Amino acid sequence: MTPLGRIIAGRIAAEGPMGLDDYMRLCLMHPDHGYYATRDPFGAQGDFTTAPEISQMFGELVGLALAQAWLDQGSPAPFTLAELGPGRGTLMADLLRATRRVPGFHDAARVTLVETSPHLRQVQRKRLGEITHLSSVADLPEIPLFLVANEFFDALPIRQMQRAEGGWAERMVTLDDSGALTLALAAPVALPRAAPEGEIWEICAEGTAIMSTVAQRLAVHGGVAIVVDYGTWDGKGDSLQALRRHAPEGILTHPGEADLTAHVDFAPLAGAAIRAGAAASAPERQGDWLRALGIEARAARLAAAGDAGAEAALHRLTDAAEMGHLFKAMAVWPRHLPPPAGFRPLPAAAPTQASATAGQPGLAPRS
């Protein structure tokens, strides 16, 4: 058992079973043994590779999309140029390089990274220089906001409810007879959601709260938020997974030494944005969205300039069998304005789980 595993086992022995959200939070952000708090997990030497690490094209196109939205909204100054969960700072570096010729954009931008990992903050400063770091979206200033969140929401803690006889039972981390970590179901509770027995419902209250805060800023002050992540619309089932050394493993196998993520359910995020007074788009497949922004032409120019990996990167980012379909992009913007480039407004009849998710933070409170 890992050092963090022993800490978790001791807490469960003393306090009882632990929710998956608390388990994820400890595994990822424990100050001494948490996955993100202690290492750089990105790239070939880490445990996974994100789109900005695959190719500069991704960050460039995100930057130009945000800059176009800034121009379309009258070039407000000053404005916050923010990224949630910025990793090594690669996306922001590519974004800034691509937008350096947009008149007034850099002068008006206040580059701000929302990052809780002390280790990753150091990595980001080395790449980007002096920037503003915040620990929470609640601390974002009350000015126009142009924001990107790439593979951020998938790492937020989730709860899992499983439909059982008599109601919904929360999946908990507990100890087996040998003292090893295992999963078990809590006592079922009644919830207003119909489903066949055995179905799993994943709830990310932290994600909807963050989206609500961002959308409130946009509704009042203007701007755009672009969210890119892997996931579905109104998803169901168990998607919680662990990744270590670029290979999947059990979520309880190496606490604190493996990345833990879950597929993003975009429906409650859109619902939170709409309830906060903003507009939201339907999720676009990443491949379709990047093509709409001109990634094929950009790859051709890079290849012509001698970038031998441009075509392979294009394939990986956009192909249906790679990242092109699994990953989605969604935008949020002020309700009275048109959507940013590459996005379509959410159809009025589309369900956003408003009734099922509005009360998520208080769902099935633990005693």
Side-chain angles (χ1 to χ4, degrees):
M1 189 176 288
T2 66
L4 182 58
R6 289 191 289 272
I7 292 172
I8 291 172
R11 178 170 157 181
I12 292 172
E15 301 177 7
M18 176 184 295
L20 282 170
D21 53 345
D22 289 336
Y23 176 75
M24 284 185 70
R25 198 172 287 112
L26 285 170
C27 286
L28 297 178
M29 295 309 304
H30 186 280
D32 298 319
H33 304 292
Y35 181 77
Y36 286 117
T38 58
R39 73 195 70 207
D40 180 353
F42 303 95
Q45 302 304 313
D47 294 311
F48 57 88
T49 302
T50 61
E53 303 293 337
I54 292 170
S55 172
Q56 68 187 65
M57 295 185 289
F58 184 84
E60 290 172 347
L61 292 174
V62 169
L64 293 174
L66 290 178
Q68 184 61 58
W70 177 74
L71 291 170
D72 292 343
Q73 294 188 27
S75 306
F79 73 92
T80 301
L81 178 61
E83 183 177 359
L84 309 186
R88 291 174 173 170
T90 304
L91 189 157
M92 184 58 73
D94 292 337
L95 184 162
L96 291 171
R97 186 185 62 256
T99 57
R100 67 182 183 273
R101 294 183 181 177
V102 178
F105 187 78
H106 283 201
D107 291 337
R110 305 294 181 262
V111 179
T112 304
L113 305 183
V114 178
E115 177 62 72
T116 58
S117 166
H119 174 77
L120 289 176
R121 283 189 176 194
Q122 292 180 358
V123 173
Q124 292 152 14
R125 286 195 184 98
K126 287 181 180 178
R127 171 158 287 183
L128 298 170
E130 285 303 314
I131 49 178
T132 298
H133 274 115
L134 300 176
S135 297
S136 169
V137 295
D139 298 327
L140 289 167
E142 298 282 351
I143 60 175
L145 173 64
F146 292 79
L147 175 147
V148 59
N150 178 64
E151 290 200 54
F152 168 77
F153 284 91
D154 65 89
L156 296 179
I158 64 163
R159 296 171 72 179
Q160 286 187 340
M161 307 296 291
Q162 182 171 325
R163 181 65 175 171
E165 184 178 354
W168 288 90
E170 184 165 7
R171 301 183 84 197
M172 309 288 285
V173 181
T174 188
L175 304 176
D176 64 17
D177 292 339
S178 69
L181 298 176
T182 189
L183 293 175
L185 293 179
V189 295
L191 293 173
R193 182 182 174 105
E197 189 168 336
E199 181 173 297
I200 291 176
W201 175 26
E202 293 182 337
I203 303 157
C204 184
E206 193 170 326
T208 53
I210 288 171
M211 177 55 76
S212 180
T213 299
V214 169
Q216 287 171 1
R217 294 287 197 283
L218 299 176
V220 174
H221 301 288
V224 163
I226 296 175
V227 174
V228 186
D229 226 312
Y230 63 94
T232 60
W233 182 265
D234 196 13
K236 301 172 184 177
D238 178 9
S239 73
L240 182 59
Q241 60 187 340
L243 194 67
R244 182 169 178 260
R245 298 173 183 171
H246 293 270
E249 65 174 31
I251 63 171
L252 305 178
T253 305
H254 291 98
E257 297 180 2
D259 184 34
L260 293 177
T261 66
H263 285 213
V264 173
D265 185 350
F266 285 94
L269 293 184
I274 292 168
R275 291 191 299 275
S281 77
E284 302 287 346
R285 292 171 174 172
Q286 176 176 288
D288 297 338
W289 177 62
L290 291 175
R291 289 189 188 95
L293 295 182
I295 193 171
E296 290 170 322
R298 179 58 175 152
R301 287 196 297 271
L302 288 174
D307 186 341
E311 291 298 328
L314 172 66
H315 176 79
R316 189 168 178 188
L317 291 171
T318 63
D319 189 80
E322 297 285 344
M323 300 174 72
H325 282 190
L326 176 61
F327 281 75
K328 311 294 192 305
M330 185 182 81
V332 179
W333 66 95
R335 188 175 292 172
H336 63 283
L337 297 175
F343 293 103
R344 300 167 294 170
L346 190 67
T352 57
Q353 293 189 343
S355 60
T357 62
Q360 277 186 4
L363 177 62
R366 305 187 191 104
S367 57

